[in-house]
Amino acid sequence: MTEHTENAIEATIAHRPSPGEQFFPPFTASAELDKEADRLIAQYPDGQSQSAILPILHVIQKKFGYISGDAMLWTANKINSTPVHVLGVVTFYPGLRQICPGKFHIRICKTLACGMGGAEELADIFCQKLSIDRSSLSHDNPIAISPDGKWSIEFVECLANCGFGPNIMVNDTLHSHMTPDKVDEVISQY
């Protein structure tokens, strides 16, 4: 690997602070995590430990809120792979995050049915009510987080509930038939 490539990898996995970090523990390669990764790896044939990459990354994200650079390096070592391979998987799948979300993470479906049903307007309303700077959303920064770290918002491609849109998810709870009138009700649930 060239020095330029190594620098690019380091820059890509560099820690980007988030106010949401206060609600999640920092990544640690605990004995419990190691045991869970071993259990996942054991589900695949000998020599195929790299096949466990997605299940391991999901476990990490669920516990720590996102996939940090340290978590990627640990995962690469655990599955006998390279950091660039793990980085490629993390950056390929939009469901995997490289920045810590808020305690309550709102995903708004932006595909055709939800988009035509008012997804953009819903995002504007949520951002206004939760003091989230929507202008900070970009391809490189797909998650916008409230200053207190309690809330975050992100557009996603599909929540697989097209006939009942617009759809949003707060953490893992789906909310269908969303309208501007329901925003306060959803916020109050959390």
Side-chain angles (χ1 to χ4, degrees):
M1 200 176 323
T2 68
E3 183 179 336
H4 177 72
T5 303
E6 287 178 15
N7 290 341
I9 292 169
E10 286 177 19
T12 304
I13 66 172
H15 178 71
R16 294 185 288 171
S18 158
E21 290 174 26
Q22 65 187 306
F23 299 106
F24 296 93
F27 176 78
T28 53
S30 65
E32 177 188 350
L33 179 61
D34 202 52
K35 184 178 177 181
E36 179 63 8
D38 287 342
R39 184 189 70 76
L40 293 167
I41 290 168
Q43 294 177 0
Y44 297 92
D46 287 343
Q48 299 296 314
S49 60
Q50 289 185 23
S51 298
I53 190 170
L54 281 173
I56 290 171
L57 291 173
H58 282 289
V59 166
I60 291 170
Q61 182 165 283
K62 186 168 181 82
K63 180 172 175 100
F64 303 105
Y66 72 114
I67 313 296
S68 68
D70 290 341
M72 285 187 248
L73 296 172
W74 178 84
T75 301
N77 186 57
K78 189 71 186 169
I79 63 170
N80 299 314
S81 188
T82 62
V84 74
H85 173 77
V86 176
L87 175 62
V89 171
V90 170
T91 57
F92 179 78
Y93 290 103
L96 297 175
R97 299 183 290 266
Q98 285 185 268
I99 187 167
C100 192
K103 180 178 182 178
F104 303 109
H105 184 58
I106 301 168
R107 290 177 280 175
I108 299 178
C109 178
K110 68 175 185 176
T111 49
L112 185 61
C114 292
M116 291 181 69
E120 290 285 336
E121 180 183 9
L122 288 171
D124 288 339
I125 294 168
F126 273 110
C127 287
Q128 177 194 7
K129 290 185 178 285
L130 300 172
S131 301
I132 295 173
D133 178 10
R134 182 160 178 210
S135 69
S136 67
L137 287 171
S138 68
H139 177 73
D140 293 332
N141 189 40
I143 298 172
I145 305 160
S146 64
D148 64 3
K150 191 173 179 183
W151 297 94
S152 57
I153 196 161
E154 147 182 60
F155 279 109
V156 294
E157 282 304 321
C158 187
L159 293 174
N161 199 37
C162 300
F164 304 97
N167 295 289
I168 69 162
M169 284 186 91
V170 181
N171 294 342
D172 293 328
T173 303
L174 180 68
H175 298 271
S176 301
H177 298 292
M178 277 300 301
T179 63
D181 297 340
K182 293 181 179 180
V183 170
D184 286 329
E185 177 186 330
V186 168
I187 291 171
S188 70
Q189 291 178 29
Y190 301 92

